PDB file of all heavy atoms in Angstrom:
ATOM      1  N   GLN A   1       3.793  21.087  -3.407  1.00 94.00           N
ATOM      2  CA  GLN A   1       3.752  20.569  -2.046  1.00 94.00           C
ATOM      3  C   GLN A   1       2.467  21.156  -1.296  1.00 94.00           C
ATOM      4  O   GLN A   1       1.838  20.506  -0.491  1.00 94.00           O
ATOM      5  CB  GLN A   1       4.960  20.627  -1.246  1.00 94.00           C
ATOM      6  CG  GLN A   1       6.070  19.687  -1.841  1.00 94.00           C
ATOM      7  CD  GLN A   1       7.436  19.869  -1.245  1.00 94.00           C
ATOM      8  OE1 GLN A   1       7.828  21.021  -0.755  1.00 94.00           O
ATOM      9  NE2 GLN A   1       8.314  18.952  -1.277  1.00 94.00           N
ATOM     10  N   LEU A   2       2.485  22.480  -1.524  1.00 93.00           N
ATOM     11  CA  LEU A   2       1.417  23.142  -0.867  1.00 93.00           C
ATOM     12  C   LEU A   2       0.117  22.740  -1.330  1.00 93.00           C
ATOM     13  O   LEU A   2      -0.927  22.591  -0.544  1.00 93.00           O
ATOM     14  CB  LEU A   2       1.617  24.626  -1.030  1.00 93.00           C
ATOM     15  CG  LEU A   2       0.875  25.622  -0.095  1.00 93.00           C
ATOM     16  CD1 LEU A   2       1.208  25.431   1.317  1.00 93.00           C
ATOM     17  CD2 LEU A   2       1.288  27.065  -0.564  1.00 93.00           C
ATOM     18  N   LEU A   3      -0.160  22.639  -2.643  1.00 92.00           N
ATOM     19  CA  LEU A   3      -1.354  22.269  -3.248  1.00 92.00           C
ATOM     20  C   LEU A   3      -1.699  20.753  -2.729  1.00 92.00           C
ATOM     21  O   LEU A   3      -2.832  20.520  -2.376  1.00 92.00           O
ATOM     22  CB  LEU A   3      -1.273  22.221  -4.673  1.00 92.00           C
ATOM     23  CG  LEU A   3      -2.470  21.723  -5.519  1.00 92.00           C
ATOM     24  CD1 LEU A   3      -3.772  22.668  -5.344  1.00 92.00           C
ATOM     25  CD2 LEU A   3      -2.075  21.666  -7.085  1.00 92.00           C
ATOM     26  N   LYS A   4      -0.637  19.900  -2.670  1.00 91.00           N
ATOM     27  CA  LYS A   4      -0.913  18.505  -2.272  1.00 91.00           C
ATOM     28  C   LYS A   4      -1.297  18.369  -0.765  1.00 91.00           C
ATOM     29  O   LYS A   4      -2.250  17.892  -0.438  1.00 91.00           O
ATOM     30  CB  LYS A   4       0.410  17.661  -2.377  1.00 91.00           C
ATOM     31  CG  LYS A   4       0.270  16.631  -3.504  1.00 91.00           C
ATOM     32  CD  LYS A   4       1.626  15.843  -3.513  1.00 91.00           C
ATOM     33  CE  LYS A   4       1.944  15.118  -2.393  1.00 91.00           C
ATOM     34  NZ  LYS A   4       3.026  14.185  -2.486  1.00 91.00           N
ATOM     35  N   ASP A   5      -0.709  19.279   0.022  1.00 91.00           N
ATOM     36  CA  ASP A   5      -0.921  19.280   1.441  1.00 91.00           C
ATOM     37  C   ASP A   5      -2.322  19.747   1.752  1.00 91.00           C
ATOM     38  O   ASP A   5      -2.952  19.374   2.706  1.00 91.00           O
ATOM     39  CB  ASP A   5       0.202  19.940   2.263  1.00 91.00           C
ATOM     40  CG  ASP A   5       1.474  19.353   2.162  1.00 91.00           C
ATOM     41  OD1 ASP A   5       1.646  18.006   1.885  1.00 91.00           O
ATOM     42  OD2 ASP A   5       2.538  19.975   2.527  1.00 91.00           O
ATOM     43  N   ASN A   6      -2.673  20.754   1.028  1.00 90.00           N
ATOM     44  CA  ASN A   6      -3.908  21.468   1.361  1.00 90.00           C
ATOM     45  C   ASN A   6      -5.243  20.840   0.808  1.00 90.00           C
ATOM     46  O   ASN A   6      -6.347  21.002   1.248  1.00 90.00           O
ATOM     47  CB  ASN A   6      -3.967  22.987   0.779  1.00 90.00           C
ATOM     48  CG  ASN A   6      -3.083  23.868   1.577  1.00 90.00           C
ATOM     49  OD1 ASN A   6      -2.789  23.540   2.866  1.00 90.00           O
ATOM     50  ND2 ASN A   6      -2.609  24.917   1.121  1.00 90.00           N
ATOM     51  N   ASN A   7      -4.948  20.016  -0.284  1.00 90.00           N
ATOM     52  CA  ASN A   7      -6.066  19.506  -1.089  1.00 90.00           C
ATOM     53  C   ASN A   7      -6.155  18.027  -1.295  1.00 90.00           C
ATOM     54  O   ASN A   7      -7.246  17.434  -1.739  1.00 90.00           O
ATOM     55  CB  ASN A   7      -6.283  20.257  -2.479  1.00 90.00           C
ATOM     56  CG  ASN A   7      -6.420  21.659  -2.168  1.00 90.00           C
ATOM     57  OD1 ASN A   7      -7.383  22.048  -1.644  1.00 90.00           O
ATOM     58  ND2 ASN A   7      -5.534  22.510  -2.885  1.00 90.00           N
ATOM     59  N   TYR A   8      -5.036  17.353  -1.164  1.00 90.00           N
ATOM     60  CA  TYR A   8      -4.944  15.882  -1.493  1.00 90.00           C
ATOM     61  C   TYR A   8      -4.510  14.992  -0.308  1.00 90.00           C
ATOM     62  O   TYR A   8      -3.807  13.945  -0.702  1.00 90.00           O
ATOM     63  CB  TYR A   8      -4.082  15.867  -2.759  1.00 90.00           C
ATOM     64  CG  TYR A   8      -4.688  16.493  -3.920  1.00 90.00           C
ATOM     65  CD1 TYR A   8      -4.456  17.622  -4.229  1.00 90.00           C
ATOM     66  CD2 TYR A   8      -5.560  15.647  -4.821  1.00 90.00           C
ATOM     67  CE1 TYR A   8      -5.059  18.414  -5.279  1.00 90.00           C
ATOM     68  CE2 TYR A   8      -6.189  16.258  -5.969  1.00 90.00           C
ATOM     69  CZ  TYR A   8      -5.885  17.600  -6.303  1.00 90.00           C
ATOM     70  OH  TYR A   8      -6.469  18.129  -7.271  1.00 90.00           O
ATOM     71  N   GLN A   9      -4.810  15.367   0.832  1.00 88.00           N
ATOM     72  CA  GLN A   9      -4.249  14.470   1.926  1.00 88.00           C
ATOM     73  C   GLN A   9      -4.755  13.037   2.031  1.00 88.00           C
ATOM     74  O   GLN A   9      -3.999  12.127   2.258  1.00 88.00           O
ATOM     75  CB  GLN A   9      -4.575  15.286   3.303  1.00 88.00           C
ATOM     76  CG  GLN A   9      -3.562  16.403   3.514  1.00 88.00           C
ATOM     77  CD  GLN A   9      -3.936  17.054   4.901  1.00 88.00           C
ATOM     78  OE1 GLN A   9      -4.840  16.852   5.507  1.00 88.00           O
ATOM     79  NE2 GLN A   9      -3.020  17.950   5.223  1.00 88.00           N
ATOM     80  N   GLU A  10      -5.992  12.908   1.889  1.00 90.00           N
ATOM     81  CA  GLU A  10      -6.719  11.659   1.912  1.00 90.00           C
ATOM     82  C   GLU A  10      -6.189  10.703   0.696  1.00 90.00           C
ATOM     83  O   GLU A  10      -5.946   9.661   0.822  1.00 90.00           O
ATOM     84  CB  GLU A  10      -8.357  11.815   1.910  1.00 90.00           C
ATOM     85  CG  GLU A  10      -8.721  12.335   3.113  1.00 90.00           C
ATOM     86  CD  GLU A  10      -8.536  11.474   4.160  1.00 90.00           C
ATOM     87  OE1 GLU A  10      -8.801  10.271   4.254  1.00 90.00           O
ATOM     88  OE2 GLU A  10      -8.213  11.810   5.377  1.00 90.00           O
ATOM     89  N   GLN A  11      -6.172  11.386  -0.468  1.00 89.00           N
ATOM     90  CA  GLN A  11      -5.709  10.671  -1.699  1.00 89.00           C
ATOM     91  C   GLN A  11      -4.191  10.230  -1.425  1.00 89.00           C
ATOM     92  O   GLN A  11      -3.860   9.071  -1.817  1.00 89.00           O
ATOM     93  CB  GLN A  11      -5.783  11.517  -2.922  1.00 89.00           C
ATOM     94  CG  GLN A  11      -7.244  11.718  -3.321  1.00 89.00           C
ATOM     95  CD  GLN A  11      -7.937  12.922  -2.569  1.00 89.00           C
ATOM     96  OE1 GLN A  11      -7.320  13.485  -1.801  1.00 89.00           O
ATOM     97  NE2 GLN A  11      -9.150  12.985  -2.596  1.00 89.00           N
ATOM     98  N   ASN A  12      -3.480  11.046  -0.800  1.00 85.00           N
ATOM     99  CA  ASN A  12      -2.084  10.791  -0.594  1.00 85.00           C
ATOM    100  C   ASN A  12      -1.903   9.483   0.336  1.00 85.00           C
ATOM    101  O   ASN A  12      -1.037   8.615   0.173  1.00 85.00           O
ATOM    102  CB  ASN A  12      -1.210  11.915  -0.100  1.00 85.00           C
ATOM    103  CG  ASN A  12       0.225  11.724  -0.281  1.00 85.00           C
ATOM    104  OD1 ASN A  12       0.626  11.225  -1.221  1.00 85.00           O
ATOM    105  ND2 ASN A  12       1.010  12.205   0.725  1.00 85.00           N
ATOM    106  N   LYS A  13      -2.821   9.416   1.361  1.00 88.00           N
ATOM    107  CA  LYS A  13      -2.772   8.354   2.331  1.00 88.00           C
ATOM    108  C   LYS A  13      -3.067   6.967   1.478  1.00 88.00           C
ATOM    109  O   LYS A  13      -2.377   5.938   1.768  1.00 88.00           O
ATOM    110  CB  LYS A  13      -3.712   8.566   3.433  1.00 88.00           C
ATOM    111  CG  LYS A  13      -3.435   9.585   4.363  1.00 88.00           C
ATOM    112  CD  LYS A  13      -4.442   9.640   5.453  1.00 88.00           C
ATOM    113  CE  LYS A  13      -4.198  10.977   6.310  1.00 88.00           C
ATOM    114  NZ  LYS A  13      -5.417  11.192   7.304  1.00 88.00           N
ATOM    115  N   VAL A  14      -4.030   7.026   0.667  1.00 89.00           N
ATOM    116  CA  VAL A  14      -4.432   5.894  -0.165  1.00 89.00           C
ATOM    117  C   VAL A  14      -3.332   5.435  -0.997  1.00 89.00           C
ATOM    118  O   VAL A  14      -3.006   4.299  -1.229  1.00 89.00           O
ATOM    119  CB  VAL A  14      -5.752   6.076  -0.974  1.00 89.00           C
ATOM    120  CG1 VAL A  14      -6.027   4.949  -1.878  1.00 89.00           C
ATOM    121  CG2 VAL A  14      -6.928   6.397  -0.046  1.00 89.00           C
ATOM    122  N   LEU A  15      -2.581   6.421  -1.725  1.00 86.00           N
ATOM    123  CA  LEU A  15      -1.531   6.104  -2.549  1.00 86.00           C
ATOM    124  C   LEU A  15      -0.422   5.502  -1.841  1.00 86.00           C
ATOM    125  O   LEU A  15       0.297   4.526  -2.374  1.00 86.00           O
ATOM    126  CB  LEU A  15      -0.962   7.355  -3.284  1.00 86.00           C
ATOM    127  CG  LEU A  15      -1.928   7.977  -4.453  1.00 86.00           C
ATOM    128  CD1 LEU A  15      -1.239   9.166  -5.014  1.00 86.00           C
ATOM    129  CD2 LEU A  15      -1.999   6.847  -5.471  1.00 86.00           C
ATOM    130  N   LEU A  16      -0.132   6.005  -0.682  1.00 86.00           N
ATOM    131  CA  LEU A  16       0.945   5.347   0.090  1.00 86.00           C
ATOM    132  C   LEU A  16       0.686   3.848   0.557  1.00 86.00           C
ATOM    133  O   LEU A  16       1.436   3.087   0.586  1.00 86.00           O
ATOM    134  CB  LEU A  16       1.228   6.214   1.472  1.00 86.00           C
ATOM    135  CG  LEU A  16       1.855   7.445   1.301  1.00 86.00           C
ATOM    136  CD1 LEU A  16       1.874   8.244   2.626  1.00 86.00           C
ATOM    137  CD2 LEU A  16       3.264   7.357   0.812  1.00 86.00           C
ATOM    138  N   GLN A  17      -0.628   3.694   0.765  1.00 88.00           N
ATOM    139  CA  GLN A  17      -1.243   2.324   1.076  1.00 88.00           C
ATOM    140  C   GLN A  17      -0.998   1.334  -0.210  1.00 88.00           C
ATOM    141  O   GLN A  17      -0.597   0.253  -0.013  1.00 88.00           O
ATOM    142  CB  GLN A  17      -2.483   2.341   1.578  1.00 88.00           C
ATOM    143  CG  GLN A  17      -2.716   2.862   3.066  1.00 88.00           C
ATOM    144  CD  GLN A  17      -4.133   3.060   3.384  1.00 88.00           C
ATOM    145  OE1 GLN A  17      -5.180   2.959   2.578  1.00 88.00           O
ATOM    146  NE2 GLN A  17      -4.500   3.204   4.632  1.00 88.00           N
ATOM    147  N   LEU A  18      -1.350   1.893  -1.267  1.00 87.00           N
ATOM    148  CA  LEU A  18      -1.279   1.172  -2.478  1.00 87.00           C
ATOM    149  C   LEU A  18       0.221   0.951  -2.858  1.00 87.00           C
ATOM    150  O   LEU A  18       0.756  -0.071  -3.340  1.00 87.00           O
ATOM    151  CB  LEU A  18      -1.894   1.986  -3.707  1.00 87.00           C
ATOM    152  CG  LEU A  18      -3.360   2.051  -3.629  1.00 87.00           C
ATOM    153  CD1 LEU A  18      -3.929   2.941  -4.724  1.00 87.00           C
ATOM    154  CD2 LEU A  18      -3.996   0.608  -3.759  1.00 87.00           C
ATOM    155  N   HIS A  19       1.091   1.914  -2.525  1.00 85.00           N
ATOM    156  CA  HIS A  19       2.482   1.851  -2.849  1.00 85.00           C
ATOM    157  C   HIS A  19       3.121   0.646  -1.998  1.00 85.00           C
ATOM    158  O   HIS A  19       4.074  -0.068  -2.507  1.00 85.00           O
ATOM    159  CB  HIS A  19       3.280   3.107  -2.498  1.00 85.00           C
ATOM    160  CG  HIS A  19       4.701   3.174  -2.949  1.00 85.00           C
ATOM    161  ND1 HIS A  19       5.086   3.163  -4.190  1.00 85.00           N
ATOM    162  CD2 HIS A  19       5.909   3.081  -2.147  1.00 85.00           C
ATOM    163  CE1 HIS A  19       6.535   3.027  -4.219  1.00 85.00           C
ATOM    164  NE2 HIS A  19       7.001   3.078  -3.038  1.00 85.00           N
ATOM    165  N   ALA A  20       2.683   0.412  -0.824  1.00 87.00           N
ATOM    166  CA  ALA A  20       3.076  -0.608   0.029  1.00 87.00           C
ATOM    167  C   ALA A  20       2.811  -1.979  -0.640  1.00 87.00           C
ATOM    168  O   ALA A  20       3.590  -3.053  -0.461  1.00 87.00           O
ATOM    169  CB  ALA A  20       2.493  -0.593   1.433  1.00 87.00           C
ATOM    170  N   PHE A  21       1.782  -2.094  -1.437  1.00 89.00           N
ATOM    171  CA  PHE A  21       1.473  -3.423  -2.024  1.00 89.00           C
ATOM    172  C   PHE A  21       2.559  -3.646  -3.037  1.00 89.00           C
ATOM    173  O   PHE A  21       2.789  -4.993  -3.432  1.00 89.00           O
ATOM    174  CB  PHE A  21       0.089  -3.369  -2.726  1.00 89.00           C
ATOM    175  CG  PHE A  21      -0.980  -3.266  -1.898  1.00 89.00           C
ATOM    176  CD1 PHE A  21      -2.072  -2.434  -2.049  1.00 89.00           C
ATOM    177  CD2 PHE A  21      -0.978  -3.886  -0.557  1.00 89.00           C
ATOM    178  CE1 PHE A  21      -3.047  -2.233  -1.241  1.00 89.00           C
ATOM    179  CE2 PHE A  21      -2.108  -3.701   0.205  1.00 89.00           C
ATOM    180  CZ  PHE A  21      -3.113  -2.906   0.050  1.00 89.00           C
ATOM    181  N   LYS A  22       3.243  -2.686  -3.689  1.00 88.00           N
ATOM    182  CA  LYS A  22       4.376  -3.041  -4.655  1.00 88.00           C
ATOM    183  C   LYS A  22       5.506  -3.833  -3.914  1.00 88.00           C
ATOM    184  O   LYS A  22       6.229  -4.547  -4.595  1.00 88.00           O
ATOM    185  CB  LYS A  22       4.941  -1.717  -5.229  1.00 88.00           C
ATOM    186  CG  LYS A  22       3.892  -1.072  -6.137  1.00 88.00           C
ATOM    187  CD  LYS A  22       4.550   0.312  -6.414  1.00 88.00           C
ATOM    188  CE  LYS A  22       5.064   0.275  -7.767  1.00 88.00           C
ATOM    189  NZ  LYS A  22       5.496   1.723  -8.167  1.00 88.00           N
ATOM    190  N   HIS A  23       5.585  -3.724  -2.645  1.00 89.00           N
ATOM    191  CA  HIS A  23       6.754  -4.241  -1.925  1.00 89.00           C
ATOM    192  C   HIS A  23       6.437  -5.628  -1.221  1.00 89.00           C
ATOM    193  O   HIS A  23       7.268  -6.007  -0.374  1.00 89.00           O
ATOM    194  CB  HIS A  23       7.261  -3.235  -0.871  1.00 89.00           C
ATOM    195  CG  HIS A  23       7.737  -1.875  -1.432  1.00 89.00           C
ATOM    196  ND1 HIS A  23       8.787  -1.863  -2.332  1.00 89.00           N
ATOM    197  CD2 HIS A  23       7.169  -0.731  -1.470  1.00 89.00           C
ATOM    198  CE1 HIS A  23       8.872  -0.615  -2.647  1.00 89.00           C
ATOM    199  NE2 HIS A  23       7.930   0.086  -2.294  1.00 89.00           N
ATOM    200  N   ILE A  24       5.359  -6.195  -1.550  1.00 90.00           N
ATOM    201  CA  ILE A  24       5.066  -7.488  -1.017  1.00 90.00           C
ATOM    202  C   ILE A  24       6.070  -8.515  -1.655  1.00 90.00           C
ATOM    203  O   ILE A  24       6.339  -8.542  -2.819  1.00 90.00           O
ATOM    204  CB  ILE A  24       3.681  -8.008  -1.384  1.00 90.00           C
ATOM    205  CG1 ILE A  24       2.699  -7.047  -0.649  1.00 90.00           C
ATOM    206  CG2 ILE A  24       3.313  -9.484  -1.060  1.00 90.00           C
ATOM    207  CD1 ILE A  24       1.066  -7.333  -0.897  1.00 90.00           C
ATOM    208  N   GLN A  25       6.623  -9.296  -0.858  1.00 91.00           N
ATOM    209  CA  GLN A  25       7.561 -10.298  -1.288  1.00 91.00           C
ATOM    210  C   GLN A  25       6.916 -11.465  -1.896  1.00 91.00           C
ATOM    211  O   GLN A  25       6.575 -12.502  -1.173  1.00 91.00           O
ATOM    212  CB  GLN A  25       8.518 -10.765   0.090  1.00 91.00           C
ATOM    213  CG  GLN A  25       9.116  -9.614   0.694  1.00 91.00           C
ATOM    214  CD  GLN A  25       9.724 -10.089   2.052  1.00 91.00           C
ATOM    215  OE1 GLN A  25       9.520 -11.116   2.558  1.00 91.00           O
ATOM    216  NE2 GLN A  25      10.425  -9.134   2.617  1.00 91.00           N
ATOM    217  N   MET A  26       6.840 -11.470  -3.178  1.00 91.00           N
ATOM    218  CA  MET A  26       6.064 -12.489  -3.807  1.00 91.00           C
ATOM    219  C   MET A  26       6.773 -13.899  -3.776  1.00 91.00           C
ATOM    220  O   MET A  26       6.043 -14.937  -3.957  1.00 91.00           O
ATOM    221  CB  MET A  26       5.993 -12.021  -5.393  1.00 91.00           C
ATOM    222  CG  MET A  26       5.320 -10.769  -5.698  1.00 91.00           C
ATOM    223  SD  MET A  26       3.614 -10.897  -5.274  1.00 91.00           S
ATOM    224  CE  MET A  26       3.093  -9.144  -5.511  1.00 91.00           C
ATOM    225  N   ASP A  27       8.008 -13.916  -3.674  1.00 91.00           N
ATOM    226  CA  ASP A  27       8.725 -15.204  -3.533  1.00 91.00           C
ATOM    227  C   ASP A  27       8.752 -15.891  -2.108  1.00 91.00           C
ATOM    228  O   ASP A  27       9.297 -16.888  -1.926  1.00 91.00           O
ATOM    229  CB  ASP A  27      10.186 -15.024  -4.053  1.00 91.00           C
ATOM    230  CG  ASP A  27      10.269 -14.696  -5.540  1.00 91.00           C
ATOM    231  OD1 ASP A  27       9.393 -15.080  -6.182  1.00 91.00           O
ATOM    232  OD2 ASP A  27      11.297 -14.063  -5.839  1.00 91.00           O
ATOM    233  N   ASN A  28       8.312 -15.179  -1.094  1.00 88.00           N
ATOM    234  CA  ASN A  28       8.405 -15.535   0.221  1.00 88.00           C
ATOM    235  C   ASN A  28       7.094 -16.556   0.486  1.00 88.00           C
ATOM    236  O   ASN A  28       5.896 -16.118   0.293  1.00 88.00           O
ATOM    237  CB  ASN A  28       8.263 -14.378   1.179  1.00 88.00           C
ATOM    238  CG  ASN A  28       8.430 -14.791   2.539  1.00 88.00           C
ATOM    239  OD1 ASN A  28       7.864 -15.812   3.120  1.00 88.00           O
ATOM    240  ND2 ASN A  28       9.066 -13.878   3.262  1.00 88.00           N
ATOM    241  N   PHE A  29       7.596 -17.780   0.850  1.00 88.00           N
ATOM    242  CA  PHE A  29       6.390 -18.915   1.084  1.00 88.00           C
ATOM    243  C   PHE A  29       5.461 -18.428   2.135  1.00 88.00           C
ATOM    244  O   PHE A  29       4.163 -18.740   2.034  1.00 88.00           O
ATOM    245  CB  PHE A  29       7.173 -20.196   1.440  1.00 88.00           C
ATOM    246  CG  PHE A  29       6.218 -21.414   1.535  1.00 88.00           C
ATOM    247  CD1 PHE A  29       5.789 -22.034   0.293  1.00 88.00           C
ATOM    248  CD2 PHE A  29       5.782 -21.780   2.764  1.00 88.00           C
ATOM    249  CE1 PHE A  29       4.874 -22.998   0.529  1.00 88.00           C
ATOM    250  CE2 PHE A  29       4.930 -22.891   2.926  1.00 88.00           C
ATOM    251  CZ  PHE A  29       4.524 -23.507   1.781  1.00 88.00           C
ATOM    252  N   VAL A  30       5.989 -17.842   3.141  1.00 90.00           N
ATOM    253  CA  VAL A  30       5.067 -17.345   4.329  1.00 90.00           C
ATOM    254  C   VAL A  30       4.055 -16.364   3.887  1.00 90.00           C
ATOM    255  O   VAL A  30       2.866 -16.461   4.063  1.00 90.00           O
ATOM    256  CB  VAL A  30       5.857 -16.851   5.484  1.00 90.00           C
ATOM    257  CG1 VAL A  30       5.054 -16.278   6.639  1.00 90.00           C
ATOM    258  CG2 VAL A  30       6.864 -17.862   6.016  1.00 90.00           C
ATOM    259  N   VAL A  31       4.624 -15.515   3.104  1.00 88.00           N
ATOM    260  CA  VAL A  31       3.649 -14.447   2.434  1.00 88.00           C
ATOM    261  C   VAL A  31       2.727 -14.986   1.555  1.00 88.00           C
ATOM    262  O   VAL A  31       1.540 -14.688   1.644  1.00 88.00           O
ATOM    263  CB  VAL A  31       4.550 -13.296   1.697  1.00 88.00           C
ATOM    264  CG1 VAL A  31       3.581 -12.404   1.027  1.00 88.00           C
ATOM    265  CG2 VAL A  31       5.432 -12.513   2.684  1.00 88.00           C
ATOM    266  N   GLN A  32       3.046 -15.939   0.763  1.00 91.00           N
ATOM    267  CA  GLN A  32       2.166 -16.692  -0.130  1.00 91.00           C
ATOM    268  C   GLN A  32       1.035 -17.317   0.719  1.00 91.00           C
ATOM    269  O   GLN A  32      -0.164 -17.161   0.359  1.00 91.00           O
ATOM    270  CB  GLN A  32       3.002 -17.637  -1.058  1.00 91.00           C
ATOM    271  CG  GLN A  32       3.888 -16.975  -1.963  1.00 91.00           C
ATOM    272  CD  GLN A  32       4.757 -17.894  -2.716  1.00 91.00           C
ATOM    273  OE1 GLN A  32       4.856 -19.139  -2.278  1.00 91.00           O
ATOM    274  NE2 GLN A  32       5.545 -17.423  -3.701  1.00 91.00           N
ATOM    275  N   SER A  33       1.381 -17.961   1.732  1.00 92.00           N
ATOM    276  CA  SER A  33       0.448 -18.815   2.489  1.00 92.00           C
ATOM    277  C   SER A  33      -0.472 -17.887   3.206  1.00 92.00           C
ATOM    278  O   SER A  33      -1.758 -18.048   3.246  1.00 92.00           O
ATOM    279  CB  SER A  33       1.162 -19.615   3.457  1.00 92.00           C
ATOM    280  OG  SER A  33       0.280 -20.389   4.385  1.00 92.00           O
ATOM    281  N   LYS A  34       0.001 -16.722   3.839  1.00 90.00           N
ATOM    282  CA  LYS A  34      -0.751 -15.773   4.593  1.00 90.00           C
ATOM    283  C   LYS A  34      -1.768 -15.067   3.609  1.00 90.00           C
ATOM    284  O   LYS A  34      -2.909 -14.908   3.904  1.00 90.00           O
ATOM    285  CB  LYS A  34       0.068 -14.852   5.326  1.00 90.00           C
ATOM    286  CG  LYS A  34       0.771 -15.340   6.537  1.00 90.00           C
ATOM    287  CD  LYS A  34       1.768 -14.303   7.203  1.00 90.00           C
ATOM    288  CE  LYS A  34       1.025 -13.219   7.789  1.00 90.00           C
ATOM    289  NZ  LYS A  34       1.926 -12.285   8.566  1.00 90.00           N
ATOM    290  N   ALA A  35      -1.317 -14.768   2.373  1.00 87.00           N
ATOM    291  CA  ALA A  35      -2.076 -14.121   1.451  1.00 87.00           C
ATOM    292  C   ALA A  35      -3.334 -15.032   0.930  1.00 87.00           C
ATOM    293  O   ALA A  35      -4.441 -14.538   0.835  1.00 87.00           O
ATOM    294  CB  ALA A  35      -1.359 -13.769   0.213  1.00 87.00           C
ATOM    295  N   LEU A  36      -3.028 -16.367   0.884  1.00 91.00           N
ATOM    296  CA  LEU A  36      -4.102 -17.227   0.471  1.00 91.00           C
ATOM    297  C   LEU A  36      -5.098 -17.265   1.658  1.00 91.00           C
ATOM    298  O   LEU A  36      -6.279 -17.381   1.413  1.00 91.00           O
ATOM    299  CB  LEU A  36      -3.450 -18.670   0.122  1.00 91.00           C
ATOM    300  CG  LEU A  36      -2.887 -18.828  -1.251  1.00 91.00           C
ATOM    301  CD1 LEU A  36      -2.146 -20.138  -1.317  1.00 91.00           C
ATOM    302  CD2 LEU A  36      -3.933 -18.635  -2.222  1.00 91.00           C
ATOM    303  N   TRP A  37      -4.603 -17.373   2.865  1.00 92.00           N
ATOM    304  CA  TRP A  37      -5.539 -17.446   4.058  1.00 92.00           C
ATOM    305  C   TRP A  37      -6.301 -16.228   4.157  1.00 92.00           C
ATOM    306  O   TRP A  37      -7.600 -16.253   4.542  1.00 92.00           O
ATOM    307  CB  TRP A  37      -4.697 -17.593   5.177  1.00 92.00           C
ATOM    308  CG  TRP A  37      -5.373 -17.848   6.480  1.00 92.00           C
ATOM    309  CD1 TRP A  37      -5.950 -19.031   6.837  1.00 92.00           C
ATOM    310  CD2 TRP A  37      -5.820 -16.832   7.478  1.00 92.00           C
ATOM    311  NE1 TRP A  37      -6.637 -18.874   8.059  1.00 92.00           N
ATOM    312  CE2 TRP A  37      -6.578 -17.573   8.573  1.00 92.00           C
ATOM    313  CE3 TRP A  37      -5.604 -15.480   7.678  1.00 92.00           C
ATOM    314  CZ2 TRP A  37      -7.130 -16.845   9.599  1.00 92.00           C
ATOM    315  CZ3 TRP A  37      -6.207 -14.883   8.801  1.00 92.00           C
ATOM    316  CH2 TRP A  37      -6.897 -15.621   9.697  1.00 92.00           C
ATOM    317  N   GLU A  38      -5.857 -15.005   3.787  1.00 89.00           N
ATOM    318  CA  GLU A  38      -6.648 -13.789   3.778  1.00 89.00           C
ATOM    319  C   GLU A  38      -7.548 -13.593   2.577  1.00 89.00           C
ATOM    320  O   GLU A  38      -8.397 -12.713   2.673  1.00 89.00           O
ATOM    321  CB  GLU A  38      -5.656 -12.696   3.931  1.00 89.00           C
ATOM    322  CG  GLU A  38      -4.783 -12.514   5.221  1.00 89.00           C
ATOM    323  CD  GLU A  38      -3.647 -11.583   5.166  1.00 89.00           C
ATOM    324  OE1 GLU A  38      -3.467 -10.880   4.196  1.00 89.00           O
ATOM    325  OE2 GLU A  38      -2.907 -11.481   6.095  1.00 89.00           O
ATOM    326  N   LEU A  39      -7.276 -14.371   1.530  1.00 86.00           N
ATOM    327  CA  LEU A  39      -8.000 -14.074   0.208  1.00 86.00           C
ATOM    328  C   LEU A  39      -9.534 -14.174   0.371  1.00 86.00           C
ATOM    329  O   LEU A  39     -10.259 -13.340  -0.172  1.00 86.00           O
ATOM    330  CB  LEU A  39      -7.576 -15.046  -0.803  1.00 86.00           C
ATOM    331  CG  LEU A  39      -8.266 -14.902  -2.233  1.00 86.00           C
ATOM    332  CD1 LEU A  39      -8.133 -13.502  -2.765  1.00 86.00           C
ATOM    333  CD2 LEU A  39      -7.664 -15.855  -3.127  1.00 86.00           C
TER     334      LEU A  39
END
């Protein structure tokens, strides 16, 4: 944790953002439509 906190803060932020993509509701029609609009 000390190594991560001292040297990998920016990378950890990016990983958290990437991790959020795993939780996109693929079956949700609204999500599908908004994703197409943003594509």
Side-chain angles (χ1 to χ4, degrees):
Q1 289 170 335
L2 198 61
L3 179 63
K4 247 178 74 174
D5 292 346
N6 289 336
N7 301 305
Y8 292 89
Q9 289 179 348
E10 288 299 314
Q11 292 79 9
N12 200 36
K13 288 177 189 174
V14 173
L15 285 177
L16 289 173
Q17 291 171 342
L18 290 173
H19 186 68
F21 296 139
K22 289 171 107 180
H23 301 291
I24 292 175
Q25 300 170 353
M26 302 292 178
D27 294 333
N28 187 320
F29 186 77
V30 173
V31 170
Q32 293 168 353
S33 178
K34 287 174 73 173
L36 282 172
W37 187 81
E38 296 167 2
L39 181 57

